[in-house]
Amino acid sequence: SNTSTNPPKQLMGDTTTATDAISAESIAEEPIPLLWVCFTVDDESPTNLRSGESLEAAFAILVDAAERKHVRLGGIGVNCSSPRAVSCTVPVLRSIADQHGIRHVLAYANAF
């Protein structure tokens, strides 16, 4: 929880489902003006999240929820996935970011 008198300026979330991502802002005690969200994609099918949801559909849900809650998305990304899967998703993320005025695309590859 936020124990200072200043509300947090950003919240960064890492999730595997669109439902978890849209819940991220609601866990904060104060409104979050800037949200950064990264999803984990399926290493064998990087156009899908590990949950099976389409990457594009998950971000569409996230963007819609952020707009309804008046939360600005500072960045979207992918992490906790294989380097090959992350490389495949970066162009998709850049396209989504450009369509919605999201400035940053985040990518962090690792293997399990």
Side-chain angles (χ1 to χ4, degrees), residues 48-81:
N48 293 323
L49 305 184
R50 289 223 170 123
S51 64
E53 294 170 274
S54 154
L55 178 67
E56 289 188 34
F59 276 113
I61 291 167
L62 175 64
V63 167
D64 180 63
E67 288 174 357
R68 281 187 285 108
K69 293 182 174 193
H70 306 287
V71 173
R72 191 168 62 102
L73 289 170
I76 58 172
V78 61
N79 67 352
C80 297
S81 303

Side-chain angles (χ1 to χ4, degrees), residues 25-111:
E25 195 271 335
S26 64
I27 64 170
E29 293 176 11
E30 301 289 334
I32 302 296
L34 190 61
L35 181 65
W36 300 66
V37 175
C38 290
F39 285 110
T40 301
V41 295
D42 186 315
D43 288 336
E44 301 304 315
S45 180
T47 58
N48 293 323
L49 305 184
R50 289 223 170 123
S51 64
E53 294 170 274
S54 154
L55 178 67
E56 289 188 34
F59 276 113
I61 291 167
L62 175 64
V63 167
D64 180 63
E67 288 174 357
R68 281 187 285 108
K69 293 182 174 193
H70 306 287
V71 173
R72 191 168 62 102
L73 289 170
I76 58 172
V78 61
N79 67 352
C80 297
S81 303
S82 73
R84 184 190 69 75
V86 169
S87 293
C88 291
T89 63
V90 170
V92 174
L93 295 175
R94 183 74 266 158
S95 175
I96 294 166
D98 289 346
Q99 289 172 21
H100 298 284
I102 300 167
R103 187 171 180 184
H104 300 284
V105 170
L106 312 153
Y108 183 78
N110 62 354

